[in-house]
Amino acid sequence: MTKLISGFSKLSKEEKIKWLTENYFHNQSETLDIIKQYWNIDRELQQLHDDFIENTISNFYMPFGVAPNFVINDRPYVIPMVVEESSVVAAASLVGKFWSTRGGFKTKVISTVKIGQVHFMYAGNKSDLEAYFHQNKTELFAATASITKNMEKRGGGILDIQLIDKTDKLANYYQLHVTFETKDSMGANFINSCLEAIAQEFRNDDTEIVMSILSNYVPECLVRAEVSCKVEELGGENPQKFARKFEQAVKIAEIEPYRAVTHNKGIMNGIDAVVLATGNDFRAVESGAHAYAARDGEYSSLSHCEVKDGIFKFWIEIPLALGTVGGLTALHPMAKLSLEMLQKPSARTLMQIMAAAGLAQNFAALRALTTKGIQHGHMKMHLQNILNQLGASEAEKQEITDYFDTRTVSHSAVVTKFNQLRKSKINWIDFLNEDIVRQKLAKINTNSKPIFGKMNGQQMIEHLSSVTQIANGNWEVDVFVSDEKTARRKPFLDSENELQVGFKASFLSEEPNKLKFSSYSEAIEDLIHQVKVFEKVFEENKNRTVVHPFFGELDYEYWKKFQVKHFTHHFKQFGLV
């Protein structure tokens, strides 16, 4: 089947996924399971998400967190944040609380002007063009009357239209530079519609309209956020030294572009997270902020610091073009929830909240850098991610977290500690020991409820028996496992790690299978029988290998390692280990 396709957009969602999995994925059933497990069970809500963009096949989840204890202009806030990077939300929360007892964040909107441009080429006399522009300027405003009517009722609209000569940069290039006030709307569609109407009215035989489009560079849509306190109120062992180093760190970012980029990235960690949570356009905000950082010809810090007369002052001025009505903010249920959490702010208030979030994030990063170092705090936050990847239990997480409270966190150090913990605590089930297996299973019955999962006691036993039959050659499962996946997954069987809760091969159904045997005791006898067959078939052919549906081709020793982990996993499921 060809990997190029015509008419893809006309296919149904299922047809798109079928074509995609058949052409670009080795394990189609596993891929399909992953795609579908991120669908929302509410069909209407899923359809809403599908309609946001084109060619939708699933959803891509991002964590939605909150940073409490922000005080902005004497008003308390809980700030919603959507971000995948560990430590961002925690850092913002800590800094929000830190400054809440030191006067909080003071913010103000400097201006809210947005910009759009009609780009055109004109090869004639400049004075003739200027005369034509001034003669028709009133008509250019009039051409947008039907578009601007509702916006003007809210106090917005077109502020001015200017003719700009750019011929010194590009031959024959001019533009109509239009300024807008869009109030609580981000205004992208409004601005572009106005520009197209203006271009249509302005065009004549001597002008060639190239394009009409808003600009995401909004240096006149500006907000300021600031924190300040007496130096001694910064706390710590030596607040004077901290304040001095902090100020130096900011000044380095002001003059060194290599540092400034990372410095400003930290600011955008906080701002982008709130932009996403409220359904605004983070790409537009990002590009506008970084352009502003380079407005003087060299990329520089967006934040600034001053220590003077015993007062520590830290502030940011940043352009933010945002909306609280229209677009995704009015469609996405979580965006609407975020705005309600923020007490239904106007666009001006939202600008101030985001500026405070960015400044808080920057303060957290600089405080870490100038004291213990960024990795100390970052890796402490990253510790939970490492533990989740390892499949640590809640008790193990707590013990390992306590262990690293006074130690340096690294991935290798966490893995070593985790393995030590597991070695001393896992009571692996010897599935080949019939007496132990019978003794354990005698403690439950058909209707025993699991600690996790959906199977009852007998369904668990029949499941172990069925999987053993794969190794025995009595159940052929039509699943392909590539050599690359086998090489990546097989080392797990050599480790001391357990199967994680929720582990399930793709060939298994979502719901437990119906009972095969009429009694619990019959199920146990079948399991014991299948284990004996397992030993027999491999004894008869010592070079025998059988494909495991997840780990790939395994010999006797590797099948034993899997069975030990598999039996232990399901015995734990019913509290038998």
Side-chain angles (χ1 to χ4, degrees), residues 3-135:
K3 291 194 175 185
L4 299 178
I5 186 172
S6 178
F8 182 75
S9 63
K10 294 183 175 65
L11 298 179
S12 68
K13 186 175 179 178
E14 287 72 18
E15 289 170 335
K16 290 185 178 81
I17 293 171
K18 183 175 184 295
W19 176 85
L20 184 66
T21 55
E22 287 177 352
N23 282 278
Y24 288 92
F25 293 94
H26 293 299
N27 192 328
Q28 296 174 30
S29 60
E30 181 181 333
T31 301
L32 187 62
D33 286 345
I34 293 172
I35 289 172
K36 288 190 174 182
Q37 74 182 3
Y38 284 93
W39 288 2
N40 199 293
I41 57 173
D42 184 327
R43 291 188 177 183
E44 288 188 10
L45 183 58
Q46 182 56 55
Q47 188 61 53
L48 175 68
H49 283 266
D50 286 349
D51 291 341
F52 287 158
I53 62 169
E54 307 75 36
N55 295 340
T56 308
I57 62 169
S58 192
N59 306 310
F60 188 95
Y61 291 172
M62 292 273 280
F64 182 104
V66 296
N69 299 318
F70 270 77
V71 175
I72 304 172
N73 294 338
D74 301 320
R75 188 176 186 181
Y77 287 93
V78 174
I79 298 181
M81 305 182 83
V82 173
V83 64
E84 86 298 340
E85 184 175 331
S86 60
S87 81
V88 170
V89 177
S93 301
L94 288 171
V95 172
K97 186 175 183 180
F98 177 87
W99 285 107
S100 69
T101 59
R102 294 164 174 81
F105 294 82
K106 303 302 179 185
T107 63
K108 65 177 181 179
V109 174
I110 297 171
S111 60
T112 57
V113 175
K114 296 169 186 174
I115 295 164
Q117 295 164 324
V118 176
H119 305 269
F120 67 95
M121 312 303 284
Y122 173 75
N125 188 288
K126 180 182 175 180
S127 60
D128 292 340
L129 178 64
E130 290 174 335
Y132 175 76
F133 168 71
H134 290 298
Q135 289 169 7

Side-chain angles (χ1 to χ4, degrees), residues 141 144-153 156-158 190 194:
F141 278 97
T144 66
S146 62
I147 304 169
T148 60
K149 182 179 179 181
N150 290 332
M151 183 65 76
E152 288 172 352
K153 287 179 180 178
I158 299 174
F190 167 75
C194 287

Side-chain angles (χ1 to χ4, degrees), residues 26 128 163 177 221 262 268 330 341 360 387 426 445 473 493:
H26 293 299
D128 292 340
L163 175 66
H177 187 87
C221 190
T262 309
M268 302 315 292
M341 187 188 305
L387 293 176
I426 299 173
N445 56 47
L493 299 176

